[in-house]
Amino acid sequence: MDIDAWVWWLIGAAALGIPLVLTAMPELGMLAVGAVAAAVTASLGGDTVLQVVVFAAVSVALIAVVRPIASRHRAQRPELATGVDALKGRSALVLERVDASGGRIKLAGEIWSARALDPDRAYEAGQEVDVVEIDGATAIVL
């Protein structure tokens, strides 16, 4: 029983797909796509040298093009901030005098304890301040 070359390429693609799933290494997926391209080449009657060239070209092209794009996306911070990260940089209204020892502000519709970032500054009721940081349940304002 003689197995066609395209079947071997598909077996190779599956063999590359299994560790891709187990290790989450995208490069293995790109090699698997190259093997599928070589299988298509073999099924269309391409000789062994052409199959290997197609495999190598598609795999290298995917790694050269897709990998840098994926790395850039992975390195970017998410645009949507949630939780206390979403409160940093927002404006708040001083409800009770805020100084280095404490005070109260209205932030995002809620009342928060707050303290001034600069120990020499004080903010009076009615002033607008910017939230620089959240320390536990206390907003640090400027």
Side-chain angles (χ1 to χ4, degrees):
M1 182 166 106
D2 192 23
I3 299 178
D4 291 336
W6 66 270
V7 174
W8 285 113
W9 282 110
L10 289 181
I11 291 170
L16 288 165
I18 293 169
L20 165 67
V21 172
L22 296 175
T23 63
M25 289 181 56
E27 293 83 2
L28 293 173
M30 295 173 208
L31 292 172
V33 171
V36 170
V40 169
T41 303
S43 70
L44 294 174
D47 66 346
T48 306
V49 173
L50 182 60
Q51 295 169 32
V52 171
V53 168
V54 167
F55 169 73
V58 169
S59 298
V60 169
L62 284 173
I63 289 172
V65 173
V66 175
R67 191 166 184 251
I69 294 170
S71 294
R72 242 188 330 245
H73 284 286
R74 196 177 318 138
Q76 289 178 346
R77 290 184 47 96
E79 291 182 25
L80 179 63
T82 59
V84 293
D85 289 333
L87 299 175
K88 293 177 186 176
R90 293 194 58 180
S91 294
L93 180 66
V94 176
L95 299 176
E96 296 174 10
R97 180 184 161 105
V98 175
D99 55 21
S101 61
R104 296 253 184 251
I105 61 171
K106 187 168 190 174
L107 172 63
E110 298 178 345
I111 297 175
W112 282 71
S113 62
R115 75 173 180 264
L117 176 66
D118 183 0
D120 298 329
R121 289 278 319 251
Y123 305 97
E124 300 300 328
Q127 278 187 287
E128 208 168 278
V129 292
D130 292 322
V131 176
V132 177
E133 186 179 333
I134 304 290
D135 181 20
T138 303
I140 311 300
V141 298
L142 180 63

